[in-house]
Amino acid sequence: MSRVGREPIPLPSGVSVAIKGALVKVKGKLGELERRLSDGISAALEDGRLHIRRSNDSRQQRSLHGLSRSLVANMVQGVDQGFTKDLEIVGVGYRCEMKGKAIQLSVGFSHRVLFIPPDGIEIKVTPPNKFSVSGIDRQLVGDVAAKLRAIRPPEPYKGKGIKYVGEYVRRKAGKTAGK
């Protein structure tokens, strides 16, 4: 059995799970998420824990077993605590500010970039150069954070751009003048 897949998912207080065939709905204090499990993967609620099981030991079922367990565990954690990605802007004159629900970035272009987050995502700005992306869907939070970083990824010479907090940007040596 999959080491990840056979682990039961503990349900914190305040989180309820509804299983209807292959559809798993998780509801908590922060919201509600649902996911359809792959064919051959099933979920069962036993003793306040959620168990993910597979129908056979084929290669595809084994690979989907741990994945399905991780996805459902992320749903449970998302509706209970949520997920956050912190980003920072590095560069002279680079900054960000909120315009309603959208974030406006000044990152060295001739224009300001306005990014409108999708539903379920909240962006908080700590002026002038830090912001965080938060929500209950881990995949969506990571996707939005990656899209924001892709607007101006950090460059290797001075490190200017948008990067994750704690991300190491490998630096290159610049040109050297010589005779």
Side-chain angles (χ1 to χ4, degrees), residues 14-176:
V15 175
S16 62
V17 176
I19 302 167
K20 195 173 210 177
L23 187 69
V24 177
K25 288 185 179 184
V26 180
K27 190 174 186 178
K29 62 185 176 190
L30 297 180
E32 183 176 345
L33 292 172
E34 66 179 48
R35 178 173 297 278
R36 183 166 299 283
L37 298 176
S38 302
D39 293 335
I41 304 291
S42 62
L45 193 60
E46 298 170 0
D47 301 328
R49 293 178 173 186
L50 191 61
H51 295 272
I52 306 295
R53 296 196 174 95
R54 64 179 185 235
S55 61
N56 59 43
D57 285 339
S58 69
R59 184 182 188 116
Q60 185 172 7
Q61 290 297 309
R62 288 193 319 252
S63 66
L64 291 173
H65 189 203
L67 171 71
S68 300
R69 191 255 179 220
S70 294
L71 292 173
V72 173
N74 287 339
M75 290 169 49
V76 170
Q77 183 181 347
V79 298
D80 187 42
Q81 300 167 358
F83 294 99
T84 302
K85 288 270 190 184
D86 297 321
L87 293 100
E88 64 182 334
I89 301 173
V90 178
V92 176
Y94 287 17
R95 62 181 50 97
C96 60
E97 60 182 318
M98 293 300 294
K99 295 285 184 185
K101 284 191 167 191
I103 185 169
Q104 184 175 356
L105 302 167
S106 300
V107 286
F109 297 123
S110 60
H111 58 282
R112 293 189 171 124
V113 179
L114 189 68
F115 184 86
I116 301 169
D119 292 337
I121 294 295
E122 184 180 340
I123 298 177
K124 294 180 186 169
V125 172
T126 310
N129 61 353
K130 289 190 179 185
F131 60 96
S132 64
V133 179
S134 58
I136 61 173
D137 188 352
R138 184 175 188 172
Q139 182 178 351
L140 189 59
V141 169
D143 187 44
V144 169
K147 285 180 182 175
L148 283 165
R149 183 183 179 276
I151 291 172
R152 187 68 156 202
E155 52 96 11
Y157 296 103
K158 291 185 179 179
K160 296 182 349 179
I162 302 171
K163 65 178 194 146
Y164 298 110
V165 171
E167 177 183 2
Y168 174 73
V169 178
R170 189 169 172 193
R171 298 288 177 87
K172 289 183 179 179
K175 292 182 180 178
T176 57

Side-chain angles (χ1 to χ4, degrees), residues 1-21:
M1 275 201 108
S2 166
R3 290 184 190 154
V4 174
R6 71 174 166 218
E7 287 291 316
I9 302 167
L11 297 177
S13 60
V15 175
S16 62
V17 176
I19 302 167
K20 195 173 210 177

